[in-house]
Amino acid sequence: MTDMLEQEPQTQLLKTADDGSDAVTLRKCQLVVLQGVDKGKKISLHKNSTTIGKRETNDFVLSDKTVSRTHVAIDYTADSFVLRDLGSTNGSYLNGSRVKEAYLAPGDVIKMGNTQIEFRAFDEKVKVAPSSNEQFGLLVGTSLKMRQIFGILERIAPTNASVIVEGETGTGKDLVAQSIHEHSARRSRPFVVFDCSAVAPNLIESELFGHEKGAFTGAIKSRRGAFEEAHGGTIFLDEIGELTAELQPKLLRALEQRQVKRVGGNTTINIDVRIICATNKNLRTEVTEGRFREDLYYRLSVVKIIIPPVRERPEDIPALIEHILRDSKFNRGPEGGLRVTRIDDDALKLLQRYQWPGNVRELVNTLERATSFVESETITRGHIDFVFSHMEHEEEGTERLVVDKQLPFKEAKQRVLEVFEKDYLQDLLDRNNGNLSAAAREAGIDRKHIRNLLKKYGINAKE
């Protein structure tokens, strides 16, 4: 698989399998003669430049006498295939129009002399060896699905291939983009994040491509856009599926020409950026239903990564928890040491059984809330039960702690703490059949302290 990527980087579309198998979809591009004396002849595009003509030294030799000796070349540049006429006698035509140079998309028909050739792309499933590593940049996972993704990322990160990352909200698509950038040759250059869903539609063009002074009301000075800011580095277009139909062709043109024009400007500005996109939508479905341009999808999806939801990889949860507790600021004490160092088995089993509608983001929030109530160094089943019992899940799959916001801060916090302590103690005693000594040992709390808390909340226990 490594050799294939090194030899044919320009023909790849790598896509993680939807069925959970250890396979990826590999996109291959080829030319097939549809009409002419060489009908049926084909060639796979596996070079940075492929020449076509009747001279024997061409990569794709045609027998048609109406074709020039070296008629056209097909170059791979910036994740795109470009058709170039090489001064042919009869000219070169793309989909019926004469061209000197043009970008190719699957299904395009090239005519030279009496020969017609179709540019095709087809998907082929191949096995990919999962990575032996359980971490890639900011991503962690021990499951086969995640190690398979790591195997792909390790191979494509050093290239300039465009990437689309699909997955549910909260799966860490932004971390994929950042990790790719940090493992690329562009790591010392800018990493610019642009959220297509967070900018008003009438401002997106200006934010992406920049504007000149006076271009519109409020444009009091010229301003560089996200593409210019990312020059030499990586631009991460988050929620690309939200890009309006009016802006999609402008983005396509920028990707094809590697140039942008500021709003209100007349000059073009060359850009050198790597494109990584993310969406919680299925872009292939969006294309089929007419909401996303097929040619733009083709330009973006040289590599397609699908991040599985947490509920499909519960075996990753222990590693995720260890990573979150080790690296999160919320788990640091005043002097920088870790406040919580472990999670007990009962709590871990509960977290692995949970469905996680908010994915890793929800797991982080749950651990942060549980940590805030821990007095020792261990998160227990009681802490997790309390957090879950006081969460309300909103429609988008996120969650929040139920708090009476009408109260002053200290009083509201005390109310939450009291509810937690009462629920935690009752559950702790139930698990230990009311035995105070056993409960104290499990919770890691002094018997006297537990006895005082039980008295406070009117809970009976055995001595």
Side-chain angles (χ1 to χ4, degrees):
M1 185 67 184
T2 304
D3 292 340
M4 190 180 300
L5 281 168
E6 291 174 349
Q7 293 170 5
E8 303 183 66
Q10 69 272 35
T11 66
Q12 305 301 306
L13 182 150
L14 287 173
K15 173 180 173 294
T16 48
D18 297 314
D19 58 7
S21 64
D22 58 343
V24 297
T25 301
L26 178 68
R27 172 163 287 180
K28 304 282 286 183
C29 296
Q30 65 178 197
L31 301 174
V32 180
V33 178
L34 299 179
Q35 182 177 310
V37 293
D38 297 297
K39 184 176 181 180
K41 190 172 184 178
K42 62 182 68 175
I43 184 175
S44 292
L45 298 179
H46 55 80
K47 296 177 63 179
N48 287 330
S49 184
T50 301
T51 57
I52 306 171
K54 62 186 180 185
R55 179 181 288 168
E56 292 295 328
T57 55
N58 286 296
D59 300 298
F60 196 31
V61 180
L62 301 175
S63 305
D64 184 355
K65 294 181 180 180
T66 62
V67 171
S68 295
R69 284 178 294 178
T70 303
H71 201 108
V72 298
I74 295 178
D75 301 329
Y76 173 77
T77 175
D79 299 335
S80 301
F81 288 94
V82 180
L83 173 71
R84 286 190 299 115
D85 183 89
L86 299 177
S88 65
T89 302
N90 297 327
S92 302
Y93 296 79
L94 183 64
N95 300 324
S97 299
R98 186 164 183 166
V99 296
K100 286 289 186 181
E101 184 172 303
Y103 287 89
L104 294 174
D108 283 349
V109 176
I110 306 162
K111 183 178 183 298
M112 54 189 81
N114 295 323
T115 297
Q116 291 188 22
I117 300 174
E118 182 180 6
F119 175 70
R120 292 180 180 176
F122 61 94
D123 293 344
E124 180 179 272
K125 274 198 171 184
V126 297
K127 293 284 186 178
V128 59
S131 173
S132 58
N133 298 313
E134 296 180 351
Q135 183 166 355
F136 179 83
L138 300 171
L139 305 166
V140 296
T142 60
S143 65
L144 177 61
K145 288 183 179 181
M146 290 306 295
R147 289 188 295 107
Q148 179 191 341
I149 289 172
F150 296 164
I152 296 173
L153 294 178
E154 287 167 356
R155 290 162 173 77
I156 61 94
T159 75
N160 284 317
S162 298
V163 182
I164 283 183
V165 187
E166 292 186 1
E168 295 179 4
T169 298
T171 49
K173 299 184 289 296
D174 55 333
L175 300 183
V176 175
Q178 192 172 339
S179 297
I180 291 173
H181 174 74
E182 291 176 354
H183 284 74
S184 74
R186 298 172 179 264
R187 67 179 68 89
S188 62
R189 306 294 292 175
F191 176 74
V192 176
V193 179
F194 184 85
D195 188 341
C196 299
S197 67
V199 181
N202 62 319
L203 295 177
I204 290 183
E205 184 175 3
S206 169
E207 293 292 322
L208 276 177
F209 306 131
H211 63 257
E212 298 293 356
K213 180 180 179 180
F216 51 83
T217 303
I220 58 176
K221 62 180 181 179
S222 297
R223 183 176 181 276
R224 300 201 306 174
F227 272 94
E228 286 185 72
E229 294 288 345
H231 183 71
T234 303
I235 185 167
F236 173 46
L237 301 177
D238 200 7
E239 300 301 343
I240 188 69
E242 303 299 326
L243 198 66
T244 63
E246 293 76 17
L247 271 174
Q248 289 178 27
K250 295 180 180 180
L251 176 58
L252 175 64
R253 188 159 52 250
L255 298 181
E256 288 182 339
Q257 299 175 0
R258 297 290 154 162
Q259 293 178 330
V260 297
K261 185 183 292 186
R262 292 179 181 176
V263 176
N266 296 316
T267 59
T268 57
I269 301 167
N270 293 327
I271 53 170
D272 171 24
V273 296
R274 182 183 192 168
I275 312 292
I276 302 178
C277 303
T279 178
N280 58 12
K281 297 181 177 181
N282 184 319
L283 279 192
R284 185 71 259 179
T285 300
E286 295 295 297
V287 169
T288 301
E289 297 180 359
R291 292 187 292 270
F292 201 84
R293 291 179 63 109
E294 183 173 17
D295 46 5
L296 177 57
Y297 174 75
Y298 174 73
R299 293 282 178 248
L300 295 172
S301 59
V302 176
V303 179
K304 182 176 176 181
I305 301 292
I306 301 176
I307 305 299
V310 174
R311 63 181 174 274
E312 294 181 5
R313 46 189 180 100
E315 63 269 43
D316 285 338
I317 288 178
L320 286 169
I321 291 173
E322 181 181 354
H323 177 73
I324 293 166
L325 292 178
R326 183 183 67 241
D327 294 348
S328 297
K329 291 181 180 179
F330 67 75
N331 193 34
R332 294 286 174 178
E335 298 181 358
L338 293 179
R339 297 180 60 238
V340 172
T341 58
R342 64 179 296 271
I343 183 168
D344 72 19
D345 290 342
D346 285 342
L348 182 58
K349 290 175 182 176
L350 178 61
L351 294 176
Q352 288 184 295
R353 289 196 299 268
Y354 185 61
Q355 290 298 295
W356 299 109
N359 290 292
V360 178
R361 186 179 301 159
E362 183 181 2
L363 176 60
V364 173
N365 292 342
T366 299
L367 291 174
E368 181 174 4
R369 287 159 183 163
T371 299
S372 67
F373 295 113
V374 174
E375 294 184 355
S376 60
E377 297 181 344
T378 302
I379 295 176
T380 68
R381 167 71 180 264
H383 295 118
I384 302 302
D385 281 337
F386 169 75
V387 172
F388 281 169
S389 67
H390 290 79
M391 302 279 261
E392 288 182 354
H393 293 281
E394 299 170 342
E395 289 183 3
E396 65 271 23
T398 59
E399 69 294 325
R400 60 186 177 88
L401 194 63
V402 181
V403 178
D404 187 349
K405 299 180 179 64
Q406 303 302 316
L407 297 174
F409 172 78
K410 288 186 177 180
E411 187 176 344
K413 181 180 179 181
Q414 183 61 34
R415 291 275 186 93
V416 171
L417 182 60
E418 289 175 354
V419 172
F420 161 69
E421 288 179 340
K422 185 175 181 180
D423 288 353
Y424 178 85
L425 291 168
Q426 188 63 65
D427 184 74
L428 181 68
L429 288 174
D430 290 345
R431 290 202 308 275
N432 289 278
N433 298 315
N435 188 297
L436 182 59
S437 298
R441 285 194 298 271
E442 179 182 330
I445 301 174
D446 183 76
R447 287 178 74 256
K448 184 177 180 180
H449 182 53
I450 284 190
R451 189 186 300 110
N452 290 336
L453 287 173
L454 294 176
K455 183 178 180 180
K456 174 182 177 181
Y457 296 113
I459 302 174
N460 297 318
K462 302 174 184 178
E463 290 294 330

